[in-house]
């Protein structure tokens, strides 16, 4: 079973716009990670935010974490057609040493 | 440095057969985890190995097994294949135990189709 949910399930935007994806989870975590997956390929690690952090930036990516609400968001600014992919949040729970993935958001950036 | 290598990339097997998938982690990484990805269930954890020891196992039947060798390479085996085993099998390596500090580096996966 999935640890949490992602929203929206699908998002379609124009190049240059910002894309925001949200993730909710259920249990205490050590950290939360975001991954990108291009169609049928492996997952690429984007960013990791620890439970004691509230916000983190990496290039055009901004991740926030609210442990009181058990939620996170991923913002991609100035999106490009190459950002078209599925994006997954994954939680590293305090009770285990595995990642538990959300259902993913399919992002389509139209040129 | 080379990434995580999974072989083969594609595989077609018949129901009832068995299959072995291989994963070579990034050099120096001692932790290898396996995930199954299907459209219906999403990404599901199979098992994790660290220094040749299985540290964690997901909720899969005993037909799914794995091992890790002294060079950190890992194999997973599925016996008595069922149609529902058709999936993308992903291997991930990490420097330390679990994804705690660094996240995972994933391979490109093995696409298994059971007919």
């Amino acid at each position: 079973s999935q640890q949490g949910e992602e929203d929206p399930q699908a998002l379609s935007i124009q190049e240059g716009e910002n894309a925001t994806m949200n993730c909710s989870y259920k249990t205490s975590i050590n950290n939360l990670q975001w991954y990108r997956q291009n169609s049928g390929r492996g997952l690429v690690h984007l960013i990791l935010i620890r439970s004691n952090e509230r916000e983190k930036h990496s290039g055009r990516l901004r991740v926030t974490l609210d442990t009181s609400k058990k939620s996170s968001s991923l913002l991609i600014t100035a999106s490009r057609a190459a950002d078209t992919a599925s994006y997954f949040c994954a939680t590293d729970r305090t009770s285990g040493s595995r990642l538990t993935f959300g259902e993913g958001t399919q992002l389509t950036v139209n040129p | 440095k080379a990434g995580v290598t999974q072989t083969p990339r594609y595989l077609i097997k018949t129901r009832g057969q068995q299959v072995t998938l291989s994963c070579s982690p990034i050099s120096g990484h001692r932790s290898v985890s396996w995930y199954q990805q299907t459209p219906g269930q999403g990404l599901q954890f199979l098992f994790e190995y660290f220094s040749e020891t299985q540290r964690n196992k997901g909720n899969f039947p005993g037909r799914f097994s794995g091992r890790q060798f002294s060079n950190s390479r890992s194999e997973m085996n599925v016996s008595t294949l069922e149609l529902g085993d058709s999936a993308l099998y992903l291997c991930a390596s990490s420097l330390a135990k679990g994804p705690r500090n660094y996240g995972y580096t994933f391979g490109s996966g093995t696409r298994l189709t059971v007919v």
Side-chain angles (χ1 to χ4, degrees):
Chain A
S1 63
Q2 302 299 319
Q3 156 75 312
E5 299 175 358
E6 291 182 60
D7 139 67
Q9 287 190 327
L11 180 60
S12 181
I13 59 174
Q14 296 299 124
E15 231 174 4
E17 294 181 339
N18 295 340
T20 299
M21 289 160 266
N22 302 297
C23 167
S24 62
Y25 57 92
K26 297 173 183 172
T27 62
S28 297
I29 62 172
N30 286 308
N31 63 64
L32 185 143
Q33 305 174 31
W34 286 89
Y35 288 82
R36 183 186 75 227
Q37 184 179 37
N38 291 89
S39 180
R41 305 285 300 198
L43 295 152
V44 174
H45 181 257
L46 296 175
I47 196 164
L48 180 154
I49 185 165
R50 293 185 172 79
S51 60
N52 61 352
E53 297 175 312
R54 292 296 166 256
E55 188 170 311
K56 203 161 183 181
H57 296 253
S58 176
R60 296 184 295 112
L61 305 180
R62 181 174 80 100
V63 169
T64 62
L65 179 64
D66 187 335
T67 52
S68 66
K69 294 181 180 177
K70 291 186 168 58
S71 68
S72 174
S73 68
L74 171 68
L75 168 68
I76 304 174
T77 60
S79 63
R80 306 165 182 167
D83 294 329
T84 295
S86 293
Y87 291 82
F88 294 89
C89 69
T91 52
D92 176 16
R93 294 181 286 182
T94 54
S95 60
S97 64
R98 67 185 72 173
L99 284 182
T100 305
F101 286 86
E103 296 168 350
T105 293
Q106 172 62 51
L107 172 66
T108 302
V109 181
N110 302 299
Chain B
K1 56 185 175 181
V4 178
T5 304
Q6 289 189 248
T7 56
R9 281 283 286 129
Y10 301 94
L11 207 47
I12 300 176
K13 288 286 189 178
T14 304
R15 238 178 344 174
Q17 288 186 313
Q18 75 164 21
V19 67
T20 299
L21 312 181
S22 178
C23 172
S24 294
I26 289 175
S27 178
H29 283 196
R30 295 164 63 190
S31 171
V32 173
S33 297
W34 289 87
Y35 287 81
Q36 181 198 63
Q37 185 177 29
T38 60
Q41 297 298 315
L43 283 150
Q44 301 282 323
F45 172 78
L46 281 157
F47 22 67
E48 181 201 5
Y49 288 88
F50 183 85
S51 293
E52 302 178 65
T53 301
Q54 186 181 89
R55 295 188 65 240
N56 252 305
K57 191 175 194 304
N59 189 26
F60 279 81
R63 300 185 296 106
F64 291 80
S65 63
R67 59 179 175 168
Q68 186 180 34
F69 302 95
S70 58
N71 62 358
S72 293
R73 190 177 71 85
S74 177
E75 288 180 348
M76 68 162 281
N77 185 276
V78 188
S79 62
T80 319
L81 284 165
E82 301 177 359
L83 296 179
D85 298 333
S86 294
L88 181 65
Y89 289 88
L90 293 162
C91 166
S93 78
S94 176
L95 189 61
K97 295 176 185 178
R100 209 106 302 175
N101 295 309
Y102 307 102
Y104 283 152
T105 301
F106 280 83
S108 296
T110 294
R111 172 76 62 185
L112 172 65
T113 302
V114 182
V115 297

